[in-house]
Amino acid sequence: MELDWPKMRKSVFLLLFGIWVMFAVAVADEGITGNSSSLSTRPKVVNIGALLTVNSVIGRSVKPAILAAVDDVNADTSILGDTHLNLILHDTNCSGFIGTMGALELMEKDVVAAIGPQSSTIAHVISHVVNELHVPLLSFGATDPTLAALQYPYFLRTTQNDYYQMAAIANVIEYFEWKEVIAIFVDDDYGRNGVSSLGDSLAQKRAKIAYKAALTPGSSVDDITEVITAVNLMESRVYVVHVNPDTGLEIFAVAKKLGMMTSGYVWITTEWLPAVLDSSAPPYSTVAAPLQGVLSLRQHTPDSDLKKSFTTKWKNIKSKETSSFNSYALYAYDSVWLLARALDTFFKSGEGITFSADPNLQNTSGSELRLSALKTFNEGPRLLETILSTNFTGVTGEFRFDQDKNLVHPAYDVLNIVGTGFRTIGYWSNRSGLSINPPEKLYAKPLNSSANAKRLYGVIWPGETNVKPRGWVFPNNGKPLRIAVPYRHSYKEVVTKDVRSPQGVRGYSIDVFEAAVNLLPYPVPRKYILYGDGVRNPSYSNLVAAVADNAYDAAVGDITIITNRTRIVDFTQPYMESGLVIVVPVKKSKTSPWAFLKPFTIEMWLVTGGFFLLVGFVVWILEHRLNHEFRGPPSQQVITIFWFSFSTMFFSHRENTVSTLGRFVLLLWLFVVLIINSSYTASLTSILTVQQLTSRIEGIDGMISSNEPIGIQDGSFAHNYLVQELNIAESRIRPLKDRTDYINALRLGPNRGGVAAIVDELPYVEIFMSSTKCEFRIVGQEFTKSGWGFAFQRDSPLALDLSTAILQLSENAELQRIHDKWLTTSSCSTQAEIEVNSLSLSSFWGLFLICGIACCISLSIYVCRVVCQYRRFNPALEQSHDIPELEPDSARRSSRRTLRSTSFKDLIEFYDKKEAEIKEMLRRHKRQVNGHNEHNGSPD
């Protein structure tokens, strides 16, 4: 069979073309199918839920905002394209139970996220539901700080955290220098946890919550009145109100009826109050009438174009129930936009929306609740991550989460309610604290942490005054200040009982306290209560502890400010300087006929006398050949040496020195004599006038090293100080009750059952010594530095005011006048003179050494000079001058024999000659030698 190749080739070509067309169509279909698959993952409608209390201050403002946000998102195709948001709204009716049921109903309708709730209490419950079903919960109103806990991973706060709001209030409290506040709060999760955060923030500023006044949610006017009346009887006048917007105004209505909106009161509210005012139609004359002078915080939102656009849009909303909106509406609006932008990113990443049955909810047979209808959002974790990473700028400003899931750049407006509205007096931000500059400007600049930057504009306080309230008063409950006064047994000049006085007490400390109180600009009702039995001095440490334990409000008396006491109470400025000193007995030294010998020791007397003779002898040697006053018979010269030596003691020597070496030795010796005379005079004066100590204790070191008993005042802190700080054995310490015990113990001494010394505070010692005729003295220095002050309970504002008053008393000399009235200062020397010992050679050997060296050097120079002269002069040659007929050779032989035969006697005779004679003899000898040489050298 013959094949038709042309037809076959044509058939193969047609077959291959058909196969290619089919492959191309298949690929095209696959591509179209793939695209449709990708598009099919983006649903047409996405269900989102909303949970809020519609009939509430926040709900009436938030509901229109959420609806407007959903409409704006659906109208903007650049966000979700053809996908629309379907809002399913449930009214929680401000009930945790109804809110939970509403949340469960939402979950049945396959919502991918929920906006709300506005209540922190409901948010706590619903957070457990969304955790189980993996549905993100974006709350615009739940500000409870504890919702940021790790146990609520699907709870996202799209508003500010109350942690920052309470930090802002604490900064305001610190700025106005208040130390105590009273917190009025609603007793639910929102109120309790917010106030707890406030307490932590105040503690960092050295302030505190003095009292927590809790209100039951939905309290009646009678309940509110009871609580407000109770806090009005307390000391603090600074109130922080942290309640719900719907019931908060009732508190101020009650406060106004009770007269608590007048001068002296401070009211600070959290952001609930601006939420009420912002939702009301201005002017706020009706609402703001009982709020005059109130300070409040409001979440700060910058004045941007987006915010202005929202304001314009709000006016066009017809379904709204309020004429204006509050900050919660802005955050709710941005919450919807946050979710929309996150969903857009979520879908663009190729994610879909699927739900699956929760295995934990399947075994519900016999239950009417239909829990099996609840499904888990499979892509919930991915959507949660997307929301947390979303960043955009909304009507509230930059909308971004930090690592703790809080919005970045928390900030608040500080408002002052005045007239028919409010004015902004400053701002607070987490970056710079209080400032008069908007936070967005501060974030754009380098951080300025200086104190000058932290300020606010002036405030109009309740009572229409611009004077900052003190922040506290004495409790208006008829109870005066309980002041404990030590009932002393000794030193009653300081403080004691007085039955004739209306106050029942008197003394130096009482007068100082009364004078200080009289300088305060407010009355201080007070009642003095004696502490102790008067038989013994009370323990001051126990007295201070009683004040700390609220047994007394304060303690007034001679209370020493020491470290252990300052840890439990607050002290005023010291009104009396004090410190521990040591007191010992002294006695007058007895004079004797030989007292003039005591200034020097025996060795000192012997060496001094020896040097007088030595110097006199050296000067005689140096002056004998030149000075005719040092010549004469031997007996006269010996007398001259003695007279010259001892007359230099009084600088009354009549002999003048003419030699250079003699003057040099005498100059040094007179300097030595000057020092010895001065020392002798000072030592003799001290010996004749000093009071000698009868105790070996001469200061704190001697007291520590000694084993002798030591007396202290009964009840004094000196006991603990000596035992714990100086490690003195407790067996050595003897408590003494009064001045009589002091005198007897010191007079007896340690050997007869007394004490060697007494340790007490300086003011007591001065009083004690003023009546003892200088029989006792203080030795050493004060070894503690402290003072007396008045003790008050911790953080008592009265301590600060009294400190200022005490300083004023000191400046106007009133404090000194009170001191002179009660306390007398001892006329005795406060510092005892120590027994003076005789001066020994060890104090002067350097002077004697210098003088001795000078004498040796001078003698050496002089002896060398004399020997040189003597070698040039020979008595034999002088004798040969009278026998000219001798032959020269015979003369030379005679001269050599004479030199060999020179004796010490000849040397002494040579020295005894006058210097002028020696010089003449040497000149004559020189001429003789020269003449002889000329004779031998002439021709015959």
Side-chain angles (χ1 to χ4, degrees):
M1 180 178 179
E2 185 177 354
L3 298 176
D4 189 354
W5 290 105
K7 291 184 178 181
M8 185 176 292
R9 285 196 298 269
K10 184 177 180 181
S11 298
V12 171
F13 175 79
L14 292 176
L15 178 63
L16 292 175
F17 179 79
I19 294 174
W20 179 83
V21 170
M22 292 177 60
F23 177 78
V25 171
V27 170
D29 290 341
E30 182 179 358
I32 295 173
T33 304
N35 289 338
S36 63
S37 174
S38 176
L39 293 175
S40 65
T41 59
R42 183 186 289 262
K44 294 294 184 181
V45 177
V46 176
N47 293 331
I48 63 172
L51 295 166
L52 65 150
T53 302
V54 176
N55 188 23
S56 66
V57 171
I58 296 177
R60 286 188 290 270
S61 183
V62 165
K63 179 182 176 181
I66 292 178
L67 294 175
V70 172
D71 292 341
D72 291 344
V73 169
N74 290 336
D76 189 349
T77 56
S78 64
I79 298 298
L80 289 174
D82 295 333
T83 302
H84 282 64
L85 297 180
N86 178 38
L87 179 67
I88 304 173
L89 190 146
H90 274 266
D91 187 357
T92 61
N93 200 23
C94 201
S95 169
F97 176 75
I98 297 178
T100 303
M101 294 299 100
L104 294 175
E105 291 181 13
L106 284 177
M107 300 304 117
E108 291 180 351
K109 298 176 181 178
D110 296 339
V111 296
V112 297
I115 309 297
Q118 70 189 53
S119 168
S120 298
T121 302
I122 299 175
H124 274 282
V125 179
I126 298 178
S127 292
H128 294 287
V129 176
V130 297
N131 286 350
E132 180 67 25
L133 302 179
H134 299 171
V135 177
L137 184 65
L138 284 65
S139 177
F140 55 84
T143 58
D144 178 5
T146 62
L147 287 169
L150 297 177
Q151 73 175 122
Y152 305 120
Y154 284 86
F155 175 84
L156 298 180
R157 193 195 322 270
T158 56
T159 186
Q160 300 297 344
N161 190 335
D162 269 347
Y163 169 82
Y164 298 110
Q165 180 172 212
M166 297 309 171
I169 292 179
N171 273 21
V172 173
I173 300 297
E174 180 190 32
Y175 178 81
F176 290 109
E177 300 178 339
W178 297 313
K179 294 300 181 183
E180 292 186 356
V181 304
I182 292 178
I184 303 173
F185 64 99
V186 58
D187 195 9
D188 58 10
D189 292 332
Y190 160 74
R192 284 191 303 272
N193 297 328
V195 168
S196 177
S197 181
L198 174 63
D200 294 340
S201 298
L202 288 175
Q204 297 176 6
K205 308 297 181 182
R206 298 179 65 93
K208 68 176 184 179
I209 299 176
Y211 180 74
K212 297 180 180 180
L215 292 170
T216 304
S219 297
S220 64
V221 176
D222 292 339
D223 295 334
I224 295 175
T225 302
E226 182 179 353
V227 171
I228 301 303
T229 302
V231 300
N232 191 32
L233 298 176
M234 298 178 184
E235 184 177 275
S236 178
R237 283 290 183 266
V238 182
Y239 306 111
V240 177
V241 183
H242 185 54
V243 294
N244 295 317
D246 299 277
T247 58
L249 294 179
E250 292 291 341
I251 295 175
F252 288 97
V254 171
K256 187 172 181 62
K257 292 180 181 179
L258 296 176
M260 298 173 65
M261 299 303 298
T262 57
S263 177
Y265 289 87
V266 178
W267 292 88
I268 303 174
T269 76
T270 51
E271 60 195 3
W272 66 265
L273 181 56
V276 175
L277 296 178
D278 288 339
S279 300
S280 304
Y284 314 111
S285 55
T286 302
V287 179
L291 303 173
Q292 297 301 302
V294 174
L295 292 182
S296 186
L297 297 184
R298 178 178 60 189
Q299 300 175 82
H300 175 75
T301 54
D303 293 329
S304 61
D305 293 338
L306 290 175
K307 184 177 178 181
K308 294 177 182 178
S309 176
F310 179 83
T311 302
T312 302
K313 187 177 302 182
W314 181 270
K315 295 178 181 179
N316 298 326
I317 297 177
K318 298 180 180 179
S319 60
K320 63 180 184 294
E321 299 181 23
T322 60
S323 58
S324 185
F325 59 88
N326 51 42
S327 60
Y328 291 100
L330 298 176
Y331 282 102
Y333 183 85
D334 277 350
S335 299
V336 176
W337 274 97
L338 170 68
L339 179 58
R341 292 177 182 274
L343 285 171
D344 185 53
T345 304
F346 177 78
F347 290 142
K348 286 180 179 179
S349 64
E351 298 287 349
I353 297 177
T354 60
F355 294 88
S356 62
D358 190 337
N360 296 325
L361 301 176
Q362 296 306 307
N363 189 15
T364 58
S365 58
S367 173
E368 298 287 338
L369 296 178
R370 296 190 311 119
L371 295 179
S372 57
L374 300 177
K375 297 180 181 180
T376 301
F377 179 25
N378 296 326
E379 290 78 16
R382 178 71 182 110
L383 178 60
L384 176 65
E385 294 178 3
T386 305
I387 294 174
L388 288 174
S389 61
T390 300
N391 177 15
F392 73 101
T393 300
V395 295
T396 59
E398 183 180 3
F399 216 90
R400 177 166 56 90
F401 293 99
D402 61 17
Q403 59 183 2
D404 296 322
K405 299 195 303 183
N406 292 316
L407 292 181
V408 297
H409 304 331
Y412 291 87
D413 302 332
V414 184
L415 309 176
N416 183 204
I417 313 300
V418 180
T420 59
F422 50 79
R423 62 192 186 96
T424 302
I425 62 172
Y427 306 91
W428 181 92
S429 67
N430 191 39
R431 175 181 172 85
S432 60
L434 296 175
S435 175
I436 59 174
N437 298 312
E440 54 269 17
K441 292 184 178 180
L442 296 178
Y443 280 114
K445 299 178 181 179
L447 179 62
N448 181 9
S449 58
S450 65
N452 294 330
K454 302 179 185 304
R455 64 187 184 95
L456 300 172
Y457 290 116
V459 179
I460 304 299
W461 303 101
E464 298 183 358
T465 177
N466 57 4
V467 178
K468 184 194 75 173
R470 190 171 63 249
W472 68 277
V473 294
F474 283 99
N476 188 21
N477 52 16
K479 294 182 180 179
L481 203 66
R482 301 166 298 168
I483 301 177
V485 176
Y487 189 8
R488 296 186 56 87
H489 175 73
S490 61
Y491 299 111
K492 296 184 178 181
E493 302 94 332
V494 179
V495 62
T496 189
K497 178 181 180 181
D498 185 10
V499 294
R500 294 174 296 178
S501 170
Q503 298 171 342
V505 290
R506 63 179 175 87
Y508 167 67
S509 298
I510 301 300
D511 279 9
V512 172
F513 182 75
E514 288 290 328
V517 168
N518 291 335
L519 292 177
L520 299 180
Y522 48 86
V524 181
R526 53 198 177 276
K527 177 183 178 182
Y528 294 104
I529 305 171
L530 292 173
Y531 184 85
D533 54 11
V535 178
R536 295 183 57 183
N537 293 334
S539 171
Y540 281 57
S541 295
N542 293 340
L543 172 60
V544 171
V547 174
D549 293 338
N550 199 28
Y552 305 99
D553 298 312
V556 171
D558 48 334
I559 306 171
T560 305
I561 304 172
I562 59 177
T563 304
N564 290 337
R565 296 173 183 174
T566 58
R567 293 191 178 107
I568 58 176
V569 297
D570 285 345
F571 280 94
T572 62
Q573 170 81 15
Y575 64 90
M576 166 70 86
E577 297 298 327
S578 180
L580 291 178
V581 294
I582 302 173
V583 181
V584 298
V586 295
K587 66 178 181 179
K588 291 284 185 179
S589 60
K590 296 181 180 180
T591 60
S592 69
W594 307 103
F596 68 91
L597 295 175
K598 290 184 178 181
F600 291 154
T601 61
I602 295 177
E603 293 82 1
M604 182 65 181
W605 279 118
L606 293 175
V607 172
T608 302
F611 260 85
F612 271 108
L613 296 176
L614 173 63
V615 171
F617 180 71
V618 170
V619 172
W620 176 82
I621 292 176
L622 299 176
E623 294 289 325
H624 177 70
R625 299 175 66 188
L626 297 174
N627 195 337
H628 69 277
E629 293 182 351
F630 288 87
R631 301 185 65 83
S635 60
Q636 181 181 349
Q637 294 187 47
V638 171
I639 294 174
T640 299
I641 291 174
F642 277 92
W643 170 254
F644 179 82
S645 298
F646 292 102
S647 63
T648 56
M649 180 183 298
F650 310 102
F651 305 99
S652 60
H653 50 283
R654 66 186 181 187
E655 294 81 9
N656 295 320
T657 55
V658 296
S659 69
T660 302
L661 293 175
R663 289 176 177 176
F664 172 68
V665 171
L666 183 61
L667 178 64
L668 289 178
W669 175 244
L670 290 179
F671 176 73
V672 174
V673 170
L674 176 64
I675 300 299
I676 293 174
N677 278 344
S678 301
S679 302
Y680 177 85
T681 302
S683 181
L684 181 61
T685 302
S686 300
I687 289 173
L688 295 178
T689 59
V690 74
Q691 288 179 322
Q692 300 176 359
L693 302 178
T694 61
S695 173
R696 290 191 296 271
I697 296 177
E698 299 177 358
I700 184 172
D701 294 332
M703 181 181 66
I704 295 174
S705 61
S706 172
N707 291 322
E708 296 177 335
I710 302 168
I712 63 168
Q713 184 182 167
D714 191 19
S716 171
F717 78 96
H719 179 277
N720 290 338
Y721 183 85
L722 295 178
V723 174
Q724 298 175 6
E725 301 297 332
L726 302 183
N727 297 321
I728 293 177
E730 192 168 3
S731 59
R732 294 177 56 194
I733 299 176
R734 305 284 190 272
L736 304 174
K737 295 175 62 175
D738 52 25
R739 277 177 279 195
T740 303
D741 288 352
Y742 277 26
I743 295 173
N744 293 336
L746 288 172
R747 285 177 177 173
L748 288 173
N751 297 327
R752 294 186 294 169
V755 297
I758 287 177
V759 176
D760 205 350
E761 295 182 69
L762 183 59
Y764 300 125
V765 171
E766 290 181 342
I767 299 173
F768 165 67
M769 292 199 307
S770 65
S771 60
T772 58
K773 298 180 180 179
C774 302
E775 187 179 352
F776 310 101
R777 287 291 183 272
I778 298 174
V779 293
Q781 302 294 326
E782 292 182 66
F783 49 92
T784 63
K785 290 292 184 181
S786 57
W788 292 350
F790 305 130
F792 290 84
Q793 294 181 9
R794 293 301 299 268
D795 301 322
S796 172
L798 191 58
L800 179 61
D801 289 354
L802 277 177
S803 294
T804 304
I806 290 172
L807 290 175
Q808 187 175 348
L809 289 176
S810 177
E811 292 171 357
N812 61 21
E814 181 67 14
L815 198 61
Q816 185 62 43
R817 187 194 66 78
I818 299 174
H819 178 277
D820 296 341
K821 172 185 174 182
W822 288 98
L823 308 179
T824 56
T825 304
S826 171
S827 59
C828 304
S829 173
T830 57
Q831 184 68 32
E833 299 174 357
I834 308 301
E835 181 179 0
V836 180
N837 297 321
S838 299
L839 298 174
S840 64
L841 181 62
S842 61
S843 302
F844 299 94
W845 69 268
L847 287 173
F848 289 129
L849 178 62
I850 293 173
C851 186
I853 293 174
C855 290
C856 291
I857 294 174
S858 299
L859 282 176
S860 300
I861 295 173
Y862 183 77
V863 169
C864 291
R865 182 171 175 270
V866 171
V867 170
C868 290
Q869 287 180 342
Y870 184 73
R871 290 179 63 84
R872 292 166 54 194
F873 168 78
N874 195 301
L877 293 177
E878 184 65 24
Q879 293 174 2
S880 67
H881 177 71
D882 299 329
I883 313 174
E885 62 274 7
L886 291 176
E887 292 296 328
D889 293 338
S890 301
R892 285 193 293 272
R893 288 191 297 268
S894 175
S895 176
R896 286 193 294 271
R897 288 194 299 267
T898 303
L899 288 171
R900 287 194 296 269
S901 63
T902 299
S903 65
F904 179 74
K905 180 181 178 181
D906 296 333
L907 183 61
I908 294 300
E909 290 177 355
F910 175 78
Y911 167 74
D912 192 51
K913 295 179 181 296
K914 292 184 178 181
E915 185 72 17
E917 295 179 4
I918 297 297
K919 290 182 178 179
E920 180 61 28
M921 292 166 60
L922 290 175
R923 283 194 298 270
R924 193 163 54 246
H925 175 68
K926 183 177 181 181
R927 287 195 300 270
Q928 182 180 356
V929 173
N930 291 335
H932 176 73
N933 291 335
E934 291 176 359
H935 176 73
N936 292 333
S938 62
D940 294 335

